Amino acid sequence: MRAARLIKMVLLLQSRPAMTAAELARELEVSERTVTRDAQALSEAGVPVYADRGRAGGYRLVGGYRTRLTGLARSEAEALFLSGVPGALREMGLQDAASAARLKVSAALLPALRDAPDTAAQRFHLDAPAWFREPETPAWLPVIAEAVWEDRRIDGGYRRGDGTVERRLEPYGLVLKAGVWYLCARVAGAGAFRTYRIDRFAAVAALDERFDRDPGFDLPGFWAEQAERFARSILRAEVVVRLSPDGVRRLPHAVDPLGAREALAGAGAPDAEGWVTVTLPVESEEVAHSQLTALGPDAEVLAPASLRERCAADAARLAALYRRDDG
């Protein structure tokens, strides 16, 4: 533990001109007294750590000293590619690995480039969770993430309906979608890949046994296919809608994007007033009623008759409201 801290201290001093004891204590999560002892230990080991006394003093490396302890470990290199998503790293338990990787990269940079990490951090930040929801870290995410990195099988109890099913899984990859974590895994011995919501696992145990990854598995491709299949699976009904030019423009923002694309792709030619008629895939008549109401007078429902009647009743009630004289 102390050896790792001493290495981190050298890397910190190598990446900056000088640091105060308070700054080092904060970065290393120790007391200033421990920083003093560590600096003395480094000096005795031959690392030229120099202490400047006084209020503006601090610690620095003498004579452009460069350590060769900058080689990245596998976990650090993998975490570095995720360093733009600090929340995800923290939830997967990789924050320390990413911090060490960034320090090693910073230490290897030329002095003129050492502000690159801070410059990038001020120009790019990813906030993955959706609006108006408090993100929660699934309890079993760190365990599953470690199994993913190490290609270890897991035993998990997965909540489905009113019960829990037991599965032995080969965890291939993790996906963070709108603040929700998903596991892409293969049931051991079954061969088929499936998707599981991490927050639905009631229990997870990582096993010692490893599995051989299928070299043909492509996580981004698999997720894109699953996402489109899911979107299509919920669009079980159809409605016929007449849209104004503005309604055509606003449709993808009011309904499911996949349904909007299919509807507009199959639209006929505009009529004399510039309106087009489309057949729109929807989840249900109830959902379609809620979504199409947002288009107001730029959408006219033609079928089914029951939905047209509901929209007509809404329009009549709205017109009555605006005709009302409150005196």
Side-chain angles (χ1 to χ4, degrees), residues 10-23:
V10 173
L11 292 172
L12 283 167
L13 293 173
Q14 186 172 310
S15 63
R16 307 178 193 181
M19 295 183 70
T20 66
E23 290 172 335

Side-chain angles (χ1 to χ4, degrees), residues 10 31 44 49 51 59 81 99 110-111 113 139 153 173 182-183 192 208 213 218 231 253 278 282 308-309:
V10 173
S31 67
E44 292 173 356
V49 177
Y59 294 90
F81 287 103
S99 176
L110 294 173
L113 298 177
R153 289 190 174 96
Y182 295 88
L183 171 66
D208 290 334
R213 293 180 67 91
D218 172 40
H253 305 288
V278 301
V282 294
R308 180 177 174 84
E309 290 170 1

Side-chain angles (χ1 to χ4, degrees), residues 171-188:
Y172 268 67
L174 293 167
V175 175
L176 178 60
K177 171 72 171 179
V180 179
W181 284 97
Y182 295 88
L183 171 66
C184 300
R186 182 165 59 181
V187 178

Side-chain angles (χ1 to χ4, degrees), residues 7-280:
I7 291 173
K8 185 174 182 179
M9 184 173 179
V10 173
L11 292 172
L12 283 167
L13 293 173
Q14 186 172 310
S15 63
R16 307 178 193 181
M19 295 183 70
T20 66
E23 290 172 335
L24 283 167
R26 185 167 56 252
E27 290 282 353
L28 299 172
E29 300 180 350
V30 295
S31 67
E32 293 186 30
R33 181 173 297 181
T34 299
V35 168
T36 301
R37 288 199 298 265
D38 285 353
Q40 180 65 31
L42 287 171
S43 181
E44 292 173 356
V47 178
V49 177
Y50 181 78
D52 292 315
R53 304 299 178 184
R55 294 181 60 186
Y59 294 90
R60 59 185 174 86
L61 295 176
V62 179
Y65 176 83
R66 307 287 294 175
T67 177
R68 295 184 180 276
L69 297 173
T70 54
L72 293 178
R74 173 175 290 276
S75 63
E76 296 167 347
E78 291 168 336
L80 185 61
F81 287 103
L82 297 173
S83 59
V85 284
L89 282 168
R90 183 174 58 255
E91 293 179 2
M92 287 190 292
L94 294 174
Q95 189 174 21
D96 290 342
S99 176
R102 286 193 294 269
L103 274 174
K104 290 182 178 182
V105 171
S106 296
L109 293 174
L110 294 173
L113 298 177
R114 285 182 187 158
D115 65 341
D118 291 335
T119 301
Q122 293 304 318
R123 286 164 173 77
F124 175 77
H125 176 70
L126 177 62
D127 186 6
W131 286 103
F132 310 118
R133 61 178 297 172
E134 191 68 26
E136 295 182 3
T137 303
W140 298 106
L141 178 60
V143 175
I144 294 174
E146 184 175 0
V148 168
W149 289 119
E150 297 181 356
D151 296 337
R152 294 185 182 276
R153 289 190 174 96
I154 61 173
D155 280 341
Y158 192 72
R159 289 187 290 266
R160 178 176 295 171
D162 296 331
T164 301
V165 295
E166 300 296 327
R167 289 284 185 269
R168 175 159 294 182
L169 300 173
E170 297 174 350
Y172 268 67
L174 293 167
V175 175
L176 178 60
K177 171 72 171 179
V180 179
W181 284 97
Y182 295 88
L183 171 66
C184 300
R186 182 165 59 181
V187 178
F193 290 97
R194 300 176 184 176
T195 303
Y196 302 85
R197 276 186 61 143
I198 301 293
D199 58 9
R200 291 183 183 168
F201 279 99
V204 174
L207 307 180
D208 290 334
E209 59 186 87
R210 297 178 182 269
F211 63 91
D212 294 324
R213 293 180 67 91
D214 181 350
F217 178 76
D218 172 40
L219 180 60
F222 172 76
W223 177 258
E225 180 181 326
Q226 290 292 105
E228 182 169 347
R229 182 179 301 169
F230 171 75
R232 290 184 182 279
S233 70
I234 64 174
L235 301 178
R236 302 186 181 94
E238 290 183 344
V239 298
V240 181
V241 187
R242 185 168 170 262
L243 299 169
S244 72
D246 196 43
V248 170
R249 179 184 62 81
R250 294 167 53 200
L251 185 67
H253 305 288
V255 303
D256 181 87
L258 177 62
R261 285 199 303 270
E262 293 189 358
L264 296 176
D271 60 20
E273 298 176 345
W275 289 52
V276 298
T277 299
V278 301
T279 299
L280 176 68

Side-chain angles (χ1 to χ4, degrees), residues 243-327:
L243 299 169
S244 72
D246 196 43
V248 170
R249 179 184 62 81
R250 294 167 53 200
L251 185 67
H253 305 288
V255 303
D256 181 87
L258 177 62
R261 285 199 303 270
E262 293 189 358
L264 296 176
D271 60 20
E273 298 176 345
W275 289 52
V276 298
T277 299
V278 301
T279 299
L280 176 68
V282 294
E283 184 175 346
S284 66
E285 183 175 319
E286 186 69 30
V287 172
H289 174 252
S290 174
Q291 293 174 335
L292 294 174
T293 298
L295 297 179
D298 290 305
E300 178 190 2
V301 174
L302 303 180
S306 56
L307 179 57
R308 180 177 174 84
E309 290 170 1
R310 292 181 67 178
C311 292
D314 288 345
R317 290 172 57 201
L318 188 61
L321 282 175
Y322 282 96
R323 284 197 303 265
R324 187 174 61 191
D325 183 7
D326 292 330

